[in-house]
Amino acid sequence: MEGGGVDHLAEERQKSRFDVDEMKIVWAGSRHAFEVSDRVARLVASDPAFRKDNRNLLSRKELFKNTLRKAAYAWKRIMELRLTEEEAAKLRFFIDEPAYTDLHWGMFVPAIKGQGTEEQQQKWLPLAYKMQIIGCYAQTELGHGSNVQGLETTATFDPQTDEFIINSPTLTSSKWWPGGLGKVSTHAVAYARLIVNGQDHGVHGFIVQLRSLDDHMPLPGITVGDIGMKFGSGAYNTMDNGVLRFDHVRIPRNQMLMRVLQVTREGKVVQSDVPRQLIYGTMVYVRQTIVSDASSALSRAVCIATRYSAVRRQFGSQKGGPETQVIDYKTQQSRLFPLLASAYAFRFVGEWLKWLYTDVTQRLQANDFSTLPEAHACTAGLKSLTTSATADAIEECRKLCGGHGYLTSSGLPELFAVYIPACTYEGDNTVLLLQVARFLMKTVSQLGSGKQPVGSTAYMSRAEHLMQCRCSAQRVEDWLKPDVVLEAFEARALRMSVACAQNLSKFSNPEEGFAELSADLAEAAIAHCQLIVVSKFVEKLQQDIPGQGVKQQLQTLCFVYSLHLLHKHQGDFLSTGCITPKQASLANEQLRSLYSQVRPNAIALVDAFNYTDHYLGSVLGRYDGNVYPTLYEDAWKDPLNDSVVPDGYHEYLRPVLKQQLRNARL
Amino acid sequence: MEGGGVDHLAEERQKSRFDVDEMKIVWAGSRHAFEVSDRVARLVASDPAFRKDNRNLLSRKELFKNTLRKAAYAWKRIMELRLTEEEAAKLRFFIDEPAYTDLHWGMFVPAIKGQGTEEQQQKWLPLAYKMQIIGCYAQTELGHGSNVQGLETTATFDPQTDEFIINSPTLTSSKWWPGGLGKVSTHAVAYARLIVNGQDHGVHGFIVQLRSLDDHMPLPGITVGDIGMKFGSGAYNTMDNGVLRFDHVRIPRNQMLMRVLQVTREGKVVQSDVPRQLIYGTMVYVRQTIVSDASSALSRAVCIATRYSAVRRQFGSQKGGPETQVIDYKTQQSRLFPLLASAYAFRFVGEWLKWLYTDVTQRLQANDFSTLPEAHACTAGLKSLTTSATADAIEECRKLCGGHGYLTSSGLPELFAVYIPACTYEGDNTVLLLQVARFLMKTVSQLGSGKQPVGSTAYMSRAEHLMQCRCSAQRVEDWLKPDVVLEAFEARALRMSVACAQNLSKFSNPEEGFAELSADLAEAAIAHCQLIVVSKFVEKLQQDIPGQGVKQQLQTLCFVYSLHLLHKHQGDFLSTGCITPKQASLANEQLRSLYSQVRPNAIALVDAFNYTDHYLGSVLGRYDGNVYPTLYEDAWKDPLNDSVVPDGYHEYLRPVLKQQLRNARL
């Protein structure tokens, strides 16, 4: 995507056997999506105001101030260029720096949309849309993360004044973590236990103003600040994750978000006719975007590692010739190519989740809740699976770059540090797997009851067959049959669920059993979620995909993804008798030969992500492969190189070398 | 180990069923080692000069200068207190900040000792011991890491002047990465191709002065600097990893390290009678210390995660009572306790490696090279295994702390960032596994030739039995028999090696086969190395271990370590027919019940590491468990909280809120 200069990877690009431009469309999702993305990416990359290569040299304060500048400038450009909502979102995406705007647009606005009444939306949304107020989403507390129902903040209705009194009764009830809260937000959707007439009605959302719109000072009763440094040198330190305490802060009654539950002037608590399940719809939406972000982060890391693996050479020199490109080593391929395949797999399952969200929304509007539990389990599981895999994969890509991956200029430390919170926020990944497991146990228990499993659990209706089928693979080529692969994954997932259900039934107290077997249950949930990803990849390939060689490449990647999972989780497949050791060995052989097919196309397959060098932010991942001269040039820019003799030489080094420490002041 | 204040973990400490003080001795290795360690740790912790909690707030320059100060102060204290070598090393360990002294003492001095002649040692070592010169170890180059034989720097003998001309012929030949090189070292042991009479004699070490001892300026022909920022905010950024170029730098002939190979005045290249294998002895030494460091880093992460898991509560509240401690969840236990067991396992295998190094050294002195290849493979493999496992484990511990693990004040981001280079330096972990695999293939090929496998491969002499034996476990309790466990690991390791050997034999070109099957070979090497760790743990338990309940705890941990590996690598055990699915399931059941046995002892088992709060450097891992008030207090110290209204408000926030962006300067 970059121009000018010599292309050190040109030879690699000529090796590929498919139409990269068409693959770019597939990756983007549509020609329109590609064009928007491409245009906005170039816009950001070409504007020096969005420079980001100096981030790790800034102090916390400078870093944060710089982010405020970028956010304001971006907002200015969005208005000047009259960008659409889609374009504006892409702009923020390519600026690639966590900022309060993420929470304002991604959580505050949706919370009001989803949980506010019509009147509340009419009052607050126009202010938020113009950024006349800036909001955050204040849920998590110092002592309470995953368990929302355990939140301690209270909102007590005062019938005298028609107000709620928001209060933080304990230290652990302090709001802690919300992004944009610490220094920026003027408002928050804050979650608190609704107390009316001394009765606790559970946790609900309230719009609370935190700071004066005149001078940005915190309002009376509000204590607010930043929670301090986080992982990495840049990363999330551009964000003011905040701490917030309420000392009996009063807000008007109509600032409780009342779409689902209302408190009347008289202090009556009334359920509205809007179904409570609506909030699950929002969760499906948010988690769907997280899966899509996983494929972005993963593809970025893979792009860097793949390009540098083609640039870097180690060993294998013949008679003084160049050494072997590390991408030609099978050990490198067996670690890298499954991650490349995963990036595509997560992209497609993310696309499907977008469809699922639309489907769920339409059904909810028609008061059809039948698919909701399944859709909810599905997105929870996929959020867990894809974010855990992506976090591990970024670090693996860093290792695949050898020592140089440890330099911040490789871009990978920053990518890792900024990505890993995804494993914890919006549902801790282990907690989510157990939710999926609970749903699976329920589904298994209803088999044969006449209630048909739907959606991603539909395969369970073939339980009788799947519990006893034997894999038909007899030759290496048989592992290229989608049906053979799919059935093995279905049988494994079902048998693991059924085994858990059987073990559970031995406990007299089901909850005790669930707790005791939770590690096994989590593994069963993973098996189910991996099946979903595999099956959605297979489904994608049943579509018409234009472009010379494009579909064939995707087929190869689909099998790389599936068979590497099969190898990695061999124990599951073997212990449940889904495949034999011989078949496992054939699958592994097939996998090796698939790697050889990926090899010549690897560079083109990462070019298809269409990332600018600005967005990648990596010397190792440069489009033109001109790595070493750039690393060398960049080194001299470190402040330590401002002087040849370092600061501190006279005080702390010379006395050591000259044996004059005794009198030195240290 | 800390005094004063309330102990929130007191109840946990009372639960334990063994003598913690005796366990501390076991962990330290001896009563003497414990006493030294304990004394020096307190010395460092109580001296404000060694404060480290402000590290992530310093700019690169401040950070580096601060490290220079600490190193000088430490050296001053070492002399004032007349510390022994052992105590001085411990002091540097507990200061816990990478510094040039690590390389001076850990690489520069040993290189001269190992590769210098008697005369060279007499000349250079006294200078180094007094730090009148400071040295580093300049091997790696910009384009060459793992493949030492591919280095490009040249040292050409000039018979006219009796000198070597050291030169960097290409950009990629620039020395790159050596710690202590960039800003501090006055000297380096630099590795270069020895060229005499136009003939290339391979890579050798040369002592090169880099900087003037008068004013610290680089000498003519020397270009030297820092390579820039690395992973994390503090971490290895305290170290001046350097870049170095030689422009025909001349050094006297006697600065080539000539213990093994000599160049005479006349330009003759003469092999000395000192065996070349000596360098493998040094590698065994260095890698042995890396294994020992792995257990330190891992135990530190585990200590933090275990204590915070006992402090933190989520879900499970009954009737408004406190929520459940997360350490009581089986999912938490199944992730955390295997890491706790690994810390102990790595500690003991590290201890054994120390013995192995002594043994090898004594044999070398007696010209006995018979065990060297085995010892070399063993240390290479264990370096790879333990560092990879530790890097992953630190990140896993961070995740086990939930969101708060992401704060730098948890100590885990820093620990991760500072630890991960261990996977790459002193042999990339994948490259090392393939070296082990090569050794295993050789050993397998010699089975039946009459040559008996020695040391850690001795089990292979029972190949006939191990290839066909069947695991005898029939009940859950059978998995507590050391012989049953050991045999399963031996059979698995051997069968995987033999399967690789058989597959290799199908290739007409063995090197091609090795390349093609390298991923499988690496897995076989891992199986072999895991067996070593398990068997050394079992051997440890055959010793007399005093202290009430101590041995029993270690037994439990030994089985946790073994059975969790068995579960994780179930696929290996099943596909090679070493155990049946039923037996795998019994092992897993045993593992669950072992977790329950670990649970009440968990806090005491991490207390046994005897870490001070200073060394741990973690709010979450505080000895007294007083986590939340400390987190809250610490937050306000962030520079962003210097003012309630942040820097940048007037320029970048107010114009947004007030719709005045059009005219704003951004």
Side-chain angles (χ1 to χ4, degrees):
Chain A
M1 188 161 173
E2 311 292 321
V6 179
D7 182 358
H8 294 260
L9 291 171
E11 206 175 307
E12 285 292 334
R13 294 190 165 104
Q14 278 158 15
K15 278 185 202 165
S16 80
R17 298 171 196 150
F18 69 97
D19 184 334
V20 182
D21 289 329
E22 285 295 331
M23 187 67 93
K24 288 181 181 178
I25 311 289
V26 175
W27 177 262
S30 69
R31 188 164 300 272
H32 167 78
F34 169 77
E35 281 166 0
V36 170
S37 188
D38 185 64
R39 181 159 38 81
V40 177
R42 288 170 195 270
L43 181 75
V44 173
S46 64
D47 191 333
F50 293 126
R51 181 184 164 188
K52 58 179 185 172
D53 59 348
N54 56 346
R55 261 194 305 224
N56 60 59
L57 297 179
L58 303 178
S59 73
R60 179 81 206 281
K61 266 179 157 167
E62 293 163 343
L63 187 67
F64 182 70
K65 190 174 175 180
N66 191 41
T67 303
L68 294 184
R69 179 187 59 74
K70 285 189 192 179
Y73 180 72
W75 186 229
K76 188 180 180 189
R77 293 298 284 157
I78 287 167
M79 289 185 298
E80 284 171 354
L81 300 170
R82 297 172 188 276
L83 298 190
T84 63
E85 210 174 304
E86 181 191 12
E87 290 165 333
K90 276 284 169 203
L91 187 81
R92 283 191 291 271
F93 175 82
F94 284 116
I95 291 173
D96 185 37
E97 193 157 290
Y100 66 89
T101 43
D102 301 348
L103 286 302
H104 178 77
W105 295 110
M107 300 290 285
F108 181 69
V109 167
I112 295 173
K113 272 185 174 170
Q115 297 162 47
T117 60
E118 285 293 327
E119 303 89 297
Q120 289 177 318
Q121 296 191 35
Q122 275 169 23
K123 173 173 179 189
W124 295 100
L125 288 179
L127 295 169
Y129 284 147
K130 288 192 211 145
M131 298 194 83
Q132 292 177 292
I133 62 173
I134 296 172
C136 65
Y137 186 88
Q139 179 180 296
T140 314
E141 298 177 355
L142 184 53
H144 310 274
S146 300
N147 184 10
V148 176
Q149 294 314 316
L151 294 178
E152 294 179 82
T153 305
T154 52
T156 310
F157 181 59
D158 180 351
Q160 239 89 62
T161 59
D162 199 22
E163 290 170 320
F164 289 107
I165 305 165
I166 315 284
N167 195 44
S168 311
T170 60
L171 181 80
T172 47
S173 74
S174 310
K175 293 295 176 189
W176 190 270
W177 274 118
L181 165 63
K183 293 288 151 185
V184 174
S185 289
T186 61
H187 289 67
V189 169
Y191 288 81
R193 319 194 69 79
L194 171 64
I195 313 284
V196 182
N197 262 327
Q199 213 191 321
D200 185 333
H201 293 268
V203 173
H204 296 272
F206 299 81
I207 298 179
V208 188
Q209 183 171 351
L210 306 176
R211 291 175 177 266
S212 153
L213 292 172
D214 291 329
D215 59 9
H216 211 62
M217 286 297 286
L219 296 184
I222 300 278
T223 305
V224 64
D226 184 273
I227 58 170
M229 291 282 283
K230 290 144 288 183
F231 206 138
S233 54
Y236 255 94
N237 292 303
T238 57
M239 180 73 89
D240 56 331
N241 296 90
V243 48
L244 168 65
R245 288 184 60 75
F246 301 103
D247 182 6
H248 300 90
V249 172
R250 287 176 170 269
I251 59 168
R253 180 172 53 89
N254 67 10
Q255 284 178 214
M256 169 176 162
L257 292 171
M258 299 216 204
R259 187 159 177 210
V260 171
L261 194 82
Q262 299 176 357
V263 175
T264 66
R265 178 64 191 90
E266 296 75 33
K268 274 199 192 148
V269 179
V270 187
Q271 196 84 33
S272 79
D273 54 358
V274 177
R276 287 205 72 129
Q277 287 93 332
L278 262 187
I279 57 158
Y280 289 103
T282 312
M283 280 167 103
V284 170
Y285 172 75
V286 172
R287 288 177 183 163
Q288 169 267 116
T289 63
I290 295 178
V291 172
S292 159
D293 290 345
S295 76
S296 299
L298 175 52
S299 56
R300 213 167 141 178
V302 164
C303 180
I304 295 168
T306 303
R307 285 184 183 158
Y308 184 53
S309 294
V311 169
R312 183 175 169 222
R313 293 169 179 273
Q314 292 280 304
F315 294 107
S317 161
Q318 308 257 317
K319 295 171 190 160
E323 296 175 292
T324 305
Q325 291 167 284
V326 299
I327 199 174
D328 283 327
Y329 291 106
K330 280 283 159 183
T331 41
Q332 192 82 358
Q333 293 177 5
S334 68
R335 294 163 69 196
L336 180 59
F337 293 166
L339 305 182
L340 173 59
S342 302
Y344 278 91
F346 294 174
R347 191 75 179 180
F348 299 141
V349 84
E351 240 174 39
W352 171 75
L353 276 182
K354 243 177 246 171
W355 168 85
L356 184 72
Y357 171 66
T358 318
D359 182 63
V360 162
T361 312
Q362 284 168 354
R363 286 171 190 265
L364 283 180
Q365 280 160 359
N367 269 321
D368 169 6
F369 307 119
S370 63
T371 63
L372 195 58
E374 188 270 325
H376 180 251
C378 197
T379 37
L382 290 173
K383 184 271 179 185
S384 176
L385 186 80
T386 58
T387 57
S388 285
T390 297
D392 291 349
I394 296 170
E395 172 61 5
E396 183 74 356
C397 284
R398 193 193 62 73
K399 287 183 186 148
L400 287 168
C401 291
H404 299 345
Y406 190 61
L407 290 168
T408 53
S409 58
S410 78
L412 292 163
E414 175 87 1
L415 188 57
F416 183 75
V418 89
Y419 187 73
I420 48 177
C423 297
T424 314
Y425 63 53
E426 288 302 311
D428 173 88
N429 280 355
T430 305
V431 174
L432 291 180
L433 286 180
L434 293 178
Q435 289 179 8
V436 175
R438 216 171 264 280
F439 172 74
L440 291 174
M441 290 309 99
K442 199 174 167 190
T443 308
V444 167
S445 74
Q446 291 172 340
L447 289 178
S449 75
K451 195 170 178 214
Q452 283 298 311
V454 296
S456 65
T457 51
Y459 71 99
M460 290 189 166
S461 66
R462 288 179 287 119
E464 210 168 329
H465 171 71
L466 290 173
M467 286 305 289
Q468 50 166 21
C469 64
R470 286 157 167 266
C471 172
S472 64
Q474 291 188 308
R475 294 164 313 157
V476 171
E477 311 84 77
D478 290 338
W479 282 112
L480 294 182
K481 295 178 183 164
D483 290 349
V484 170
V485 173
L486 260 183
E487 189 175 86
F489 274 84
E490 287 175 346
R492 166 213 183 202
L494 181 70
R495 293 179 193 189
M496 287 176 78
S497 279
V498 168
C500 281
Q502 284 168 346
N503 287 334
L504 275 177
S505 67
K506 294 175 194 158
F507 287 81
S508 53
N509 178 337
E511 278 313 302
E512 228 168 69
F514 197 87
E516 182 67 20
L517 299 176
S518 55
D520 295 348
L521 285 158
E523 287 178 10
I526 288 173
H528 172 72
C529 295
Q530 288 176 342
L531 164 64
I532 301 177
V533 182
V534 169
S535 64
K536 295 307 156 191
F537 207 151
V538 170
E539 276 175 25
K540 175 80 188 177
L541 293 172
Q542 285 156 358
Q543 293 174 16
D544 185 35
I545 301 174
Q548 182 246 319
V550 169
K551 193 170 194 166
Q552 201 195 321
Q553 291 305 317
L554 294 177
Q555 264 156 352
T556 304
L557 291 175
C558 178
F559 288 111
V560 166
Y561 181 73
S562 316
L563 297 183
H564 110 274
L565 282 183
L566 191 140
H567 180 65
K568 191 175 161 192
H569 297 273
Q570 224 186 105
D572 292 353
F573 289 88
L574 291 171
S575 67
T576 52
C578 295
I579 62 170
T580 64
K582 172 73 187 161
Q583 289 169 327
S585 158
L586 290 173
N588 206 24
E589 207 176 310
Q590 178 58 259
L591 184 55
R592 276 205 304 273
S593 106
L594 288 168
Y595 291 152
S596 305
Q597 292 170 46
V598 173
R599 168 63 190 92
N601 300 290
I603 297 297
L605 283 168
V606 301
D607 285 349
F609 305 146
N610 199 45
Y611 292 141
T612 62
D613 279 350
H614 172 274
Y615 180 66
L616 270 187
S618 168
V619 173
L620 305 186
R622 287 171 65 95
Y623 181 86
D624 67 6
N626 191 30
V627 171
Y628 296 120
T630 318
L631 275 180
Y632 188 81
E633 293 297 315
D634 281 4
W636 302 102
K637 296 176 191 160
D638 191 277
L640 267 196
N641 291 325
D642 287 351
S643 60
V644 182
V645 173
D647 266 15
Y649 165 69
H650 290 284
E651 304 95 305
Y652 309 128
L653 270 179
R654 195 178 163 82
V656 170
L657 288 162
K658 297 296 173 194
Q659 319 291 299
Q660 295 162 342
L661 268 184
R662 197 164 304 172
N663 309 313
R665 264 198 268 164
L666 300 173
Chain B
M1 191 164 173
E2 312 291 323
V6 180
D7 182 358
H8 295 259
L9 291 171
E11 206 176 308
E12 285 291 335
R13 294 191 164 104
Q14 279 158 13
K15 278 186 201 162
S16 79
R17 298 170 195 150
F18 69 97
D19 184 335
V20 182
D21 289 328
E22 286 294 333
M23 187 66 93
K24 287 182 181 177
I25 311 288
V26 175
W27 176 263
S30 69
R31 188 164 300 272
H32 167 78
F34 169 75
E35 282 167 359
V36 170
S37 189
D38 186 63
R39 180 159 38 80
V40 177
R42 287 171 194 270
L43 181 77
V44 173
S46 63
D47 191 334
F50 294 126
R51 181 185 166 187
K52 59 180 184 172
D53 59 347
N54 56 347
R55 261 193 305 224
N56 60 59
L57 297 178
L58 303 178
S59 73
R60 179 83 206 279
K61 263 179 160 169
E62 293 163 342
L63 186 68
F64 182 69
K65 191 173 174 182
N66 191 41
T67 303
L68 294 183
R69 179 188 59 74
K70 285 190 191 178
Y73 180 73
W75 186 229
K76 189 182 178 189
R77 294 297 285 157
I78 286 167
M79 290 185 296
E80 283 171 354
L81 299 169
R82 296 171 190 275
L83 297 190
T84 62
E85 210 173 304
E86 181 191 11
E87 290 165 333
K90 275 285 170 203
L91 187 82
R92 283 192 290 273
F93 175 82
F94 284 116
I95 291 172
D96 186 38
E97 191 157 293
Y100 66 89
T101 43
D102 301 348
L103 286 303
H104 178 78
W105 296 108
M107 300 292 285
F108 181 70
V109 167
I112 295 173
K113 270 184 173 170
Q115 297 162 47
T117 61
E118 285 293 326
E119 302 90 296
Q120 289 177 319
Q121 296 190 36
Q122 274 167 25
K123 173 173 179 189
W124 296 100
L125 288 181
L127 295 168
Y129 284 148
K130 290 193 211 146
M131 299 196 81
Q132 291 178 291
I133 62 174
I134 296 173
C136 65
Y137 186 87
Q139 180 178 297
T140 313
E141 296 176 356
L142 184 54
H144 310 275
S146 299
N147 184 12
V148 176
Q149 294 313 315
L151 294 179
E152 293 180 83
T153 306
T154 52
T156 309
F157 182 59
D158 179 352
Q160 239 90 61
T161 60
D162 199 22
E163 291 171 320
F164 289 108
I165 305 164
I166 315 286
N167 194 44
S168 311
T170 60
L171 181 80
T172 47
S173 74
S174 309
K175 293 295 175 189
W176 189 271
W177 276 117
L181 166 64
K183 292 288 149 182
V184 175
S185 289
T186 59
H187 290 67
V189 168
Y191 288 81
R193 319 196 68 79
L194 170 64
I195 313 284
V196 182
N197 262 325
Q199 213 191 321
D200 185 332
H201 293 268
V203 172
H204 296 272
F206 299 82
I207 298 179
V208 188
Q209 182 171 353
L210 306 176
R211 290 175 178 267
S212 154
L213 292 172
D214 292 329
D215 59 7
H216 211 62
M217 287 297 287
L219 296 183
I222 301 278
T223 304
V224 66
D226 184 272
I227 59 170
M229 290 282 282
K230 291 144 289 185
F231 205 139
S233 55
Y236 255 95
N237 293 303
T238 58
M239 181 72 89
D240 55 331
N241 295 91
V243 48
L244 168 65
R245 290 184 59 77
F246 300 102
D247 182 6
H248 300 90
V249 172
R250 286 173 171 270
I251 59 169
R253 180 171 54 88
N254 66 12
Q255 285 179 215
M256 170 176 161
L257 292 171
M258 298 216 204
R259 187 158 176 210
V260 171
L261 194 81
Q262 299 175 356
V263 175
T264 66
R265 176 65 193 92
E266 296 76 31
K268 273 197 191 150
V269 179
V270 187
Q271 195 83 34
S272 79
D273 53 0
V274 176
R276 287 206 70 132
Q277 286 92 332
L278 262 187
I279 57 158
Y280 289 103
T282 313
M283 281 166 103
V284 170
Y285 172 75
V286 173
R287 288 176 184 165
Q288 168 266 119
T289 64
I290 295 178
V291 172
S292 160
D293 291 345
S295 76
S296 300
L298 175 52
S299 56
R300 214 168 140 176
V302 165
C303 181
I304 295 168
T306 303
R307 286 185 183 157
Y308 184 53
S309 294
V311 169
R312 185 175 167 221
R313 294 170 179 274
Q314 292 281 304
F315 294 105
S317 163
Q318 309 255 318
K319 296 171 192 162
E323 296 175 292
T324 305
Q325 290 168 285
V326 299
I327 198 173
D328 283 326
Y329 290 105
K330 282 282 159 182
T331 40
Q332 192 83 356
Q333 293 177 7
S334 68
R335 292 163 71 196
L336 180 59
F337 293 166
L339 305 181
L340 174 59
S342 302
Y344 278 92
F346 295 175
R347 191 74 178 180
F348 298 140
V349 84
E351 238 173 41
W352 171 74
L353 275 182
K354 244 177 242 170
W355 169 85
L356 185 71
Y357 170 66
T358 318
D359 182 63
V360 162
T361 312
Q362 284 169 356
R363 285 172 190 266
L364 283 180
Q365 279 159 0
N367 268 320
D368 169 7
F369 306 120
S370 62
T371 63
L372 194 58
E374 188 270 325
H376 179 250
C378 199
T379 38
L382 289 172
K383 184 272 179 186
S384 176
L385 185 80
T386 58
T387 57
S388 286
T390 297
D392 291 348
I394 296 169
E395 171 61 5
E396 182 75 357
C397 284
R398 193 193 61 74
K399 286 183 187 151
L400 286 168
C401 291
H404 299 344
Y406 190 62
L407 289 168
T408 54
S409 57
S410 77
L412 291 164
E414 175 87 2
L415 189 57
F416 183 75
V418 87
Y419 187 74
I420 48 175
C423 298
T424 314
Y425 63 53
E426 288 302 310
D428 173 89
N429 280 355
T430 304
V431 174
L432 291 181
L433 285 180
L434 293 178
Q435 288 178 10
V436 175
R438 215 172 264 280
F439 172 74
L440 290 175
M441 290 308 101
K442 199 174 164 188
T443 309
V444 168
S445 74
Q446 292 171 340
L447 289 178
S449 75
K451 196 171 178 213
Q452 283 298 311
V454 295
S456 65
T457 51
Y459 69 99
M460 290 188 165
S461 66
R462 288 179 289 118
E464 211 169 327
H465 170 70
L466 290 173
M467 287 304 290
Q468 50 168 21
C469 64
R470 285 155 167 268
C471 173
S472 64
Q474 291 186 309
R475 294 164 312 157
V476 171
E477 311 85 79
D478 291 337
W479 282 113
L480 295 181
K481 296 177 182 165
D483 291 349
V484 170
V485 173
L486 260 183
E487 189 176 87
F489 274 84
E490 287 174 346
R492 166 213 184 201
L494 181 71
R495 292 180 195 187
M496 287 176 77
S497 278
V498 168
C500 281
Q502 283 167 348
N503 287 334
L504 274 177
S505 68
K506 294 176 194 156
F507 287 81
S508 52
N509 178 338
E511 279 312 301
E512 228 168 67
F514 197 88
E516 181 68 20
L517 299 176
S518 54
D520 295 348
L521 284 158
E523 288 179 10
I526 289 173
H528 172 71
C529 296
Q530 288 177 342
L531 164 63
I532 300 177
V533 182
V534 169
S535 64
K536 295 306 155 192
F537 207 151
V538 170
E539 277 176 24
K540 175 81 190 176
L541 294 172
Q542 287 157 357
Q543 294 173 17
D544 185 34
I545 301 174
Q548 182 247 318
V550 170
K551 192 169 194 164
Q552 202 196 321
Q553 291 305 318
L554 295 176
Q555 264 156 353
T556 304
L557 291 174
C558 178
F559 288 112
V560 167
Y561 181 73
S562 315
L563 297 183
H564 111 273
L565 282 183
L566 191 139
H567 180 65
K568 189 175 162 192
H569 297 273
Q570 223 186 105
D572 290 354
F573 289 88
L574 291 172
S575 66
T576 52
C578 296
I579 62 171
T580 64
K582 173 73 188 158
Q583 290 169 327
S585 161
L586 290 173
N588 207 25
E589 207 174 311
Q590 179 57 260
L591 185 56
R592 275 204 306 271
S593 107
L594 288 168
Y595 291 152
S596 305
Q597 291 171 46
V598 173
R599 167 63 188 93
N601 301 290
I603 297 297
L605 283 168
V606 301
D607 284 350
F609 305 145
N610 199 45
Y611 293 141
T612 62
D613 279 351
H614 172 274
Y615 180 66
L616 270 187
S618 168
V619 173
L620 304 186
R622 287 171 65 95
Y623 182 85
D624 66 7
N626 190 31
V627 171
Y628 296 121
T630 318
L631 275 179
Y632 188 82
E633 293 297 314
D634 281 6
W636 302 102
K637 296 176 189 160
D638 192 277
L640 267 195
N641 291 325
D642 287 351
S643 60
V644 183
V645 173
D647 266 17
Y649 165 72
H650 289 283
E651 305 95 302
Y652 309 128
L653 271 179
R654 197 177 161 81
V656 171
L657 288 161
K658 297 297 174 195
Q659 319 292 296
Q660 294 162 342
L661 268 184
R662 197 164 301 172
N663 309 313
R665 263 198 268 165
L666 301 173

